[in-house]
Amino acid sequence: MNIDNYILEVVTGVVTELYGEVNPSQIQIQKTRKEFEGDYTLVTFPLLKLSRKSPEATATEIGEKLVSSSSQVSAFNVIKGFLNISLSVEFWQERFAEIAATDNYGQAEATGKTIMVEYSSPNTNKPLHLGHIRNNLLGYSVSQILAANGHKVIKANLVNDRGIHICKSMVAWQRYGNGATPQSTGIKGDHLVGDYYVEFDKHYKAEIAELVAGGMSEEEAKKSAPILLEAQEMLRKWEAKDEAVRNLWEMMNGWVYEGFDVTYKTLGVDFDKVYYESQTYLLGKSIVAEGLEKDIFFRKEDGSVWIDLTADGLDQKLLLRGDGTSVYMTQDLGTALQRFEQNNLDGITYVVGNEQNYHFQVLKLVLKKLGYEWSDDIYHLSYGMVELPEGKMKSREGTVVDADDLVEKMVATAREMSAELGKLDGCSEEEANKICAMIGLGALKYFILKVDPKKTMLFDPRESIDFNGNTGPFIQYTHARICSVLRKAEEQGIDYSAKVAADYLPEEVELVKVLADYPQTVAAAGEAFAPSMIAAYTYELCKLFNGYYHDHSILREENENTKRMRLQLASQVARVIRTGMALLGIEVPERM
């Protein structure tokens, strides 16, 4: 049952019976705020013209009619013009029976819509770092949430595998690598290539300093440094399809892809389709030609193509260089068209940092002006940067927090803290390794995903592994605790599978209410592209259950029906924790 729709129907029926035909917009119902008693609140002010009474009198009249005509409404209270409605214990018992009997609870029916989510989009000149982790975790989680809302989801990755930054690593490897490979050095491929990107920057700065010391201005020295000129020449050769350059490029990119795949597997993220910029960067030229024909774009004297968006409050935007080469916007226009047509998409979500807000604003507007109505179905999931207590990260200077190193550190910290707290007592080495990996990764993922994507966040590894408070390990421990209770019940031969009649305590009713909110939370998270809503919900559910478990025994309860009901309740809480955390890409252990 959709409880919101049920309440709306019941209240609308009572209001119609009391005052005659009512406009649906006049029935305003919301969840009762926590500080007040009740489940749902009716705002009576829009109904006063119909009732011709004061807000308080109108609310009282409707409340009395609801209690007398519906066995599901147990009580009401009036605060000024607001009618707070309480639903009966029996109502919530029925909802719990529905929850327990529903397979794939929280999974919506198929919508028939296909949504692409593009995330990760790494450069092949360096390993993934903490910023990429936020991108990957957001993209994967949003994909899971959209799938839970009944959409067919295509997880896509556009790899930035061409450009001057790639050539910088290639030049440095040629100059200083002495034929080093991942196999010969024992260094993971993406790390090895990243080391040469840092090496390039070191020599580039040294050459600039040397040129400046010889009397050249710093600005001129930056353009004239021999190592940079060598990288630029390599890029020209790449675009001219020089065989030697292309072979080197393919070899070094191959090292990087192997390294990326290891990191993706560790993080638990994957893709249905992988696109490469080297194969898509020329796309969009036909769209530019189309725009010129329609006089939507214009050509400047140097041959470059632009669009004037000043009337839309923006500026002039370059779409094609004077020499006919593409810019990012050219490519993105082409790939958007290609993906919508090839995959018959109903929408595409780009998971890209907030420094690209303007780019996506322009992309949608240009496509709209070209007459592509599906431009309205492009969504930019913009997210803030991840910072550390010591400040921002810089790839060129090698001061980034490497993703692999961070995961390794998280797992090590999880082991250290778990051992201190006795969480690994009685575990085999294999089981301890698995649990620590789960806790370390769960802590990392939850700490990042619980924050609203739009906010810049400060990441503190040790704080994220706290077993108390709003953390992944706290939620994982709650699940493990419930599993322990259920295992003991099984060992004692207690069968709690059948429906039982038992009295519910107020705390048990509260747990059912939160469980009943799960499908709506999943729907709301899908609407808002916000994994943080799932995180907040799961944390509140765990907090509520832990308070209940602290105050009330389950296995030592003397009344057999009550004991079975509590086991059923605990089992459903564990199930929702599992499914909610799975939407965040987080595993939960059964023991810890």
Side-chain angles (χ1 to χ4, degrees):
M1 175 195 286
N2 184 309
I3 301 172
D4 287 358
N5 289 345
Y6 170 77
I7 294 299
L8 182 63
E9 187 181 314
V10 169
V11 171
T12 301
V14 164
V15 171
T16 302
E17 192 177 335
L18 286 171
Y19 309 125
E21 200 64 37
V22 61
N23 189 311
S25 65
Q26 291 176 287
I27 306 292
Q28 296 179 10
I29 301 176
Q30 59 206 26
K31 287 271 180 71
T32 303
R33 284 160 53 183
K34 287 184 178 179
E35 60 266 35
F36 299 108
E37 186 182 342
D39 297 313
Y40 285 85
T41 298
L42 172 69
V43 182
T44 61
F45 299 105
L47 301 170
L48 301 185
K49 284 185 179 178
L50 292 173
S51 69
R52 300 174 186 270
K53 295 176 182 174
S54 69
E56 289 81 0
T58 302
T60 301
E61 189 171 42
I62 295 170
E64 288 173 346
K65 186 69 175 173
L66 280 168
V67 170
S68 65
S69 61
S70 173
S71 61
Q72 306 285 29
V73 178
S74 59
F76 72 92
N77 64 84
V78 176
I79 298 177
K80 296 181 179 177
F82 299 91
L83 169 63
N84 297 323
I85 303 162
S86 295
L87 297 167
S88 68
V89 173
E90 291 73 24
F91 175 88
W92 293 113
Q93 288 174 323
E94 287 174 18
R95 299 296 73 73
F96 179 67
E98 285 176 3
I99 292 166
T102 304
D103 293 331
N104 298 320
Y105 183 59
Q107 173 67 48
E109 292 182 8
T111 62
K113 290 184 176 180
T114 301
I115 311 291
M116 179 174 281
V117 181
E118 182 184 290
Y119 59 98
S120 198
S121 304
N123 295 328
T124 57
N125 64 320
K126 56 193 174 187
L128 303 177
H129 57 61
L130 179 53
H132 291 118
I133 287 180
R134 189 176 199 187
N135 181 298
N136 279 282
L137 298 185
L138 272 173
Y140 182 80
S141 181
V142 164
S143 299
Q144 298 298 98
I145 291 166
L146 291 174
N149 277 283
H151 306 310
K152 177 186 175 185
V153 177
I154 300 172
K155 293 170 286 185
N157 184 2
L158 173 63
V159 181
N160 299 305
D161 65 339
R162 62 170 287 279
I164 191 68
H165 51 293
I166 312 295
C167 292
K168 288 177 179 179
S169 293
M170 290 162 65
V171 165
W173 183 84
Q174 276 189 327
R175 279 196 182 194
Y176 314 110
N178 296 315
T181 67
Q183 290 73 27
S184 69
T185 60
I187 299 173
K188 194 163 166 274
D190 50 338
H191 289 255
L192 183 66
V193 174
D195 289 344
Y196 287 105
Y197 185 61
V198 175
E199 190 74 13
F200 177 95
D201 193 60
K202 185 176 76 176
H203 288 279
Y204 177 49
K205 285 176 177 173
E207 288 183 3
I208 291 170
E210 191 177 332
L211 291 171
V212 170
M216 192 180 285
S217 73
E218 186 175 353
E219 198 59 39
E220 190 60 31
K222 285 179 178 177
K223 296 176 184 175
S224 305
I227 196 168
L228 176 65
L229 297 178
E230 196 175 333
Q232 290 171 340
E233 177 60 23
M234 184 174 276
L235 180 58
R236 279 190 288 273
K237 285 183 177 179
W238 183 91
E239 292 190 351
K241 299 185 178 174
D242 178 278
E243 186 178 357
V245 169
R246 286 286 179 127
N247 287 341
L248 174 61
W249 170 75
E250 285 178 4
M251 179 180 74
M252 292 182 70
N253 273 356
W255 298 343
V256 174
Y257 299 146
E258 287 178 7
F260 283 171
D261 286 346
V262 170
T263 307
Y264 287 140
K265 187 175 180 181
T266 302
L267 286 174
V269 303
D270 58 13
F271 307 94
D272 303 305
K273 296 198 174 186
V274 179
Y275 298 92
Y276 298 92
E277 193 182 314
S278 58
Q279 297 169 3
T280 63
Y281 78 105
L282 295 175
L283 284 173
K285 285 192 173 183
S286 60
I287 293 179
V288 172
E290 176 193 339
L292 280 168
E293 283 177 23
K294 293 179 176 178
D295 291 327
I296 296 168
F297 306 156
F298 68 94
R299 197 184 293 276
K300 288 191 176 181
E301 289 181 6
D302 65 355
S304 59
V305 179
W306 298 70
I307 185 170
D308 188 354
L309 299 173
T310 51
D312 300 281
L314 304 177
D315 58 8
Q316 292 188 354
K317 182 70 180 175
L318 175 67
L319 299 173
L320 204 64
R321 295 190 187 96
D323 61 4
T325 56
S326 303
V327 293
Y328 274 116
M329 187 57 70
T330 328
Q331 172 186 280
D332 283 353
L333 290 168
T335 55
L337 177 60
Q338 179 196 52
R339 289 171 193 178
F340 268 91
E341 289 184 345
Q342 286 185 354
N343 300 287
N344 196 24
L345 297 180
D346 295 285
I348 183 167
T349 298
Y350 293 91
V351 183
V352 182
N354 56 16
E355 72 276 7
Q356 294 295 328
N357 286 355
Y358 181 76
H359 176 85
F360 284 99
Q361 189 181 0
V362 171
L363 176 66
K364 289 186 67 170
L365 187 54
V366 171
L367 287 166
K368 187 79 169 176
K369 287 181 181 292
L370 286 166
Y372 296 110
E373 293 302 322
W374 46 258
S375 61
D376 290 334
D377 300 315
I378 290 174
Y379 179 74
H380 173 208
L381 176 51
S382 171
Y383 64 90
M385 295 299 101
V386 183
E387 294 180 2
L388 297 155
E390 52 269 28
K392 294 184 179 180
M393 303 179 289
K394 295 179 182 176
S395 299
R396 286 189 298 276
E397 296 172 13
T399 59
V400 299
V401 175
D402 177 80
D404 297 317
D405 292 345
L406 178 59
V407 169
E408 192 177 317
K409 181 180 178 182
M410 293 294 293
V411 174
T413 306
R415 178 177 285 278
E416 177 192 325
M417 294 180 72
S418 298
E420 282 175 14
L421 295 168
K423 305 287 186 190
L424 303 176
D425 293 352
C427 291
S428 67
E429 184 63 19
E430 184 182 353
E431 195 174 18
N433 289 340
K434 188 177 178 183
I435 290 171
C436 291
M438 254 191 229
I439 295 170
L441 275 166
L444 172 65
K445 292 179 179 185
Y446 187 84
F447 197 87
I448 286 175
L449 292 173
K450 74 176 182 180
V451 178
D452 185 310
K454 295 179 180 62
K455 295 180 179 176
T456 295
M457 65 171 295
L458 189 70
F459 181 72
D460 185 334
R462 194 162 185 89
E463 183 187 330
S464 71
I465 300 187
D466 194 336
F467 281 86
N468 296 302
N470 190 5
T471 66
F474 169 73
I475 293 169
Q476 289 173 317
Y477 180 62
T478 303
H479 180 267
R481 167 182 266 180
I482 295 172
C483 288
S484 175
V485 172
L486 299 179
R487 269 196 309 276
K488 288 174 183 173
E490 194 176 330
E491 288 164 6
Q492 293 174 24
I494 303 171
D495 180 5
Y496 56 90
S497 57
K499 185 178 177 181
V500 292
D503 293 332
Y504 278 44
L505 296 170
E507 297 94 322
E508 288 158 350
V509 173
E510 283 305 309
L511 276 169
V512 174
K513 288 178 185 179
V514 175
L515 289 173
D517 278 342
Y518 181 60
Q520 290 169 287
T521 304
V522 174
E527 281 287 321
F529 299 88
S532 54
M533 296 173 74
I534 301 292
Y537 168 86
T538 312
Y539 171 61
E540 289 302 322
L541 175 61
C542 289
K543 198 165 61 166
L544 191 64
F545 179 83
N546 277 289
Y548 165 72
Y549 184 74
H550 179 269
D551 294 338
H552 303 286
S553 174
I554 295 179
L555 292 176
R556 289 197 299 274
E557 168 58 41
E558 293 179 1
N559 183 293
E560 288 301 318
N561 278 353
T562 300
K563 183 191 295 183
R564 286 179 169 80
M565 177 272 289
R566 290 180 178 177
L567 286 165
Q568 289 174 357
L569 189 55
S571 175
Q572 293 308 313
V573 169
R575 176 167 73 138
V576 171
I577 291 171
R578 259 193 318 277
T579 55
M581 291 293 265
L583 295 182
L584 303 179
I586 299 173
E587 290 183 277
V588 286
E590 294 189 3
R591 299 174 189 269
M592 71 188 265

